[in-house]
Amino acid sequence: MAVDYTVIVVYLAGMLAMGWWGMRRAKSKSEFLVAGRRLGPWMYSGTMAAIVLGGASTIGGVGLGYQYGLSGAWMVFTIGLGLLALSVFFSARIARLKVYTVSEMLDLRYGGRAGVVSGVVMWAYTLMLAVTSTIAYATIFDVLFDLNRTVAIVIGGSIVVAYSTLGGMWSITLTDMVQFVVKTIGVLLLLLPIAVVKAGGFGEMKAKLPTEYFDPLGVGGETIFTYVLIYTFGMLIGQDIWQRVFTARSDKVARYGGTVAGTYCLVYAIAGAVIGTAAKVMYPKLPSADAAFATIVKDELPMGVRGLVLAAALAAVMSTSSGALIACATVANNDIWSRLRGAMGKPAGEEHDEVKGNRAFILVMGVAVVVIAIALNDVVEALTVAYNLLVGGLLVPILGGLLWRRGTAAGALAAVVAGGLSVIGLMWWYGILANEPVYYGLLTSLAVYAVVSLATKPTDAQVLAAWRERLAGRGAEPVAAQPVAEPAPTPQ
């Protein structure tokens, strides 16, 4: 394992080095939170694919393939569909808004009265997303170094918190590009063909497994529908995803770069399911489906290659974890803390102070994420709660604001509250892992949004006019977001 250890240690050291480099570049709020809005198509596509394909998509995707066969690809496939829908239909308008958070978009659209409650919901979602991503370090470091769960979480979480705190989005962008390349080589180019060959090829896999393993709908229609509701729609509204859209140099980069990333996700989904199916042939009686990835890597790959593939899994977890962490800190600082400061009559900080403030929030949120990850046991339940609240509470007012002129602030607030409370109540009644909470919560939010919006006074014409100006890319970005240093050459 010495060669594998060397590969992993070099990889982790490189992540920290990029964090240090990013710290030297991130001199303004815009640079720190959205990489100066200057990413070209190559970096944008790679980093967008990296953040959406995390540990759940890699380790979990292989596990679903082990359990259900090729239809296990549907979870990651619906993530790719969501990213494609976001890129084709909404990303250009989102990029032109020149905001930092989803709640700022709601404030612009509804006149400054809808962002507070939505900020709290979005913060809870991004926090739990970061926690569940951080927990995944335990699986990888257990295979690598036979470390106990707590130590593994502390090591992995500390590295992500360190480079994210140092350089913000620039550090995360650079590390995500490396992680994208490592994932592509490790999972698609190495693990996929090796797993199929070790399993005896597709003919042998079909001969040894039940026919339902090769049924595209074997996982079940209701499960696929739930994946669409949670993951496809979740991709449309998550702060972690929108914050990457804000990094695009132009609306065309956001649209076409995101389309490339979404297509890559579809390929990655199929690859994970095939690897899991091959693992089922080789190890038909594993104690857990999620152990399929680690088992096939540990037992079937040669040294060096094994280290690279485990680095790919680590890269997948780190990209999602860092993206969720900066999203959580951005929402906590910009949507919650800044509003509290305003309510107390305290003036906003200067640009340099804003960078320090955002850096401090990443550090604080990072420590909280590591502590919660150590204490939390049921990852699936935590992630389900996060996505149910996100989709049930925020999907309707966000998409309604983008698509329906008649939507009002009162309707948006009522939809967030009614949808969120419905989801919480229904999870208590049906169980956290039941499908009904997100179904009925979403319907409740939609009905309340429509009824309250139609029953209240339309949004002020000046607010809508300013909103249309921002959507067209003609609105000015807030002064605090402007760089204070000379811009560096645009990355391609």
Side-chain angles (χ1 to χ4, degrees):
M1 292 289 288
V3 176
D4 298 325
Y5 292 159
T6 301
V7 172
I8 297 296
V9 170
V10 169
Y11 169 77
L12 295 176
M15 297 299 100
L16 291 174
M18 289 182 185
W20 182 262
W21 187 92
M23 181 180 69
R24 299 176 60 189
R25 183 162 192 162
K27 301 298 184 181
S28 71
K29 179 181 178 181
S30 178
E31 297 281 354
F32 191 82
L33 294 182
V34 291
R37 308 189 196 274
R38 291 193 275 114
L39 296 192
W42 165 239
M43 290 192 75
Y44 180 85
S45 298
T47 57
M48 182 62 86
I51 188 176
V52 300
L53 295 174
S57 300
T58 304
I59 299 171
V62 171
L64 287 171
Y66 183 89
Q67 187 173 0
Y68 298 106
L70 298 185
S71 67
W74 273 107
M75 184 189 78
V76 183
F77 204 83
T78 55
I79 290 174
L81 292 177
L83 185 52
L84 285 172
L86 174 71
S87 301
V88 173
F89 299 113
F90 301 107
S91 63
R93 281 181 283 178
I94 293 171
R96 289 195 293 263
L97 288 174
K98 303 295 185 185
V99 295
Y100 292 100
T101 67
V102 175
S103 295
E104 287 182 30
M105 167 263 168
L106 292 173
D107 279 346
L108 282 171
R109 169 59 181 82
Y110 294 112
R113 291 176 292 165
V116 180
V117 176
S118 66
V120 174
V121 175
M122 188 64 76
W123 173 78
Y125 157 72
T126 53
L127 178 69
M128 294 313 301
L129 182 61
V131 167
T132 53
S133 301
T134 302
I135 291 173
Y137 296 127
T139 300
I140 300 169
F141 280 100
D142 176 59
V143 175
L144 281 172
F145 306 115
D146 195 25
L147 295 175
N148 70 52
R149 181 179 182 274
T150 299
V151 175
I153 289 172
V154 170
I155 292 175
S158 297
I159 292 171
V160 170
V161 172
Y163 74 69
S164 300
T165 301
L166 287 172
M169 186 60 80
W170 268 124
S171 295
I172 293 171
T173 296
L174 294 170
T175 54
D176 276 359
M177 276 304 300
V178 175
Q179 290 158 0
F180 170 73
V181 173
V182 170
K183 279 191 287 191
T184 300
I185 296 173
V187 175
L188 297 185
L189 301 183
L190 292 177
L191 184 58
L192 174 61
I194 290 173
V196 172
V197 170
K198 292 281 187 177
F202 285 103
E204 189 72 10
M205 291 162 62
K206 286 186 176 181
K208 290 187 175 181
L209 294 174
T211 55
E212 55 263 28
Y213 264 71
F214 301 92
D215 180 359
L217 303 178
V219 71
E222 183 179 355
T223 299
I224 295 171
F225 180 68
T226 303
Y227 284 159
V228 171
L229 277 185
I230 293 178
Y231 297 115
T232 300
F233 287 124
M235 287 294 105
L236 298 180
I237 59 176
Q239 169 67 25
D240 51 326
I241 310 302
W242 277 42
Q243 199 156 344
R244 295 308 174 98
V245 176
F246 300 151
T247 67
R249 182 176 65 196
S250 67
D251 54 1
K252 289 184 179 180
V253 168
R255 180 184 291 116
Y256 296 116
T259 301
V260 171
T263 304
Y264 178 90
C265 292
L266 303 183
V267 176
Y268 200 89
I270 297 171
V274 171
I275 293 168
T277 305
K280 184 67 175 179
V281 173
M282 290 182 279
Y283 309 98
K285 295 182 179 180
L286 288 177
S288 168
D290 284 341
F293 181 90
T295 302
I296 194 171
V297 170
K298 189 175 183 179
D299 293 349
E300 301 297 335
L301 299 185
M303 66 177 182
V305 174
R306 179 172 49 211
L308 183 59
V309 173
L310 286 171
L314 194 58
V317 175
M318 282 188 162
S319 57
T320 299
S321 181
S322 60
L325 176 59
I326 193 172
C328 176
T330 302
V331 171
N333 189 17
N334 289 265
D335 293 337
I336 300 175
W337 174 242
S338 64
R339 296 172 193 271
L340 292 176
R341 284 176 58 87
M344 293 184 293
K346 295 185 178 181
E350 298 296 327
E351 180 70 16
H352 184 62
D353 292 334
E354 286 193 33
V355 174
K356 286 184 176 180
N358 282 292
R359 185 172 281 132
F361 265 87
I362 292 179
L363 180 60
V364 172
M365 291 296 106
V367 172
V369 163
V370 171
V371 171
I372 296 172
I374 292 171
L376 194 64
N377 290 319
D378 200 320
V379 180
V380 176
E381 288 193 357
L383 196 59
T384 301
V385 170
Y387 270 102
N388 282 353
L389 284 173
L390 177 71
V391 174
L394 293 181
L395 178 68
V396 170
I398 292 172
L399 293 189
L402 290 169
L403 300 174
W404 192 37
R405 179 189 175 112
R406 187 61 180 81
T408 66
L413 285 171
V416 172
V417 174
L421 291 178
S422 296
V423 164
I424 293 171
L426 291 168
M427 283 191 294
W428 175 80
W429 181 260
Y430 287 103
I432 289 177
L433 299 180
N435 293 328
E436 288 84 356
V438 71
Y439 295 167
Y440 300 140
L442 190 56
L443 289 175
T444 300
S445 179
L446 178 61
V448 169
Y449 180 72
V451 170
V452 175
S453 291
L454 292 173
T456 52
K457 183 180 178 181
T459 305
D460 186 86
Q462 290 184 341
V463 171
L464 288 177
W467 166 251
R468 287 193 296 269
E469 286 291 303
R470 292 294 286 270
L471 279 179
R474 293 190 292 267
E477 185 174 356
V479 174
Q482 302 301 324
V484 297
E486 289 294 324
T490 301
Q492 296 299 322

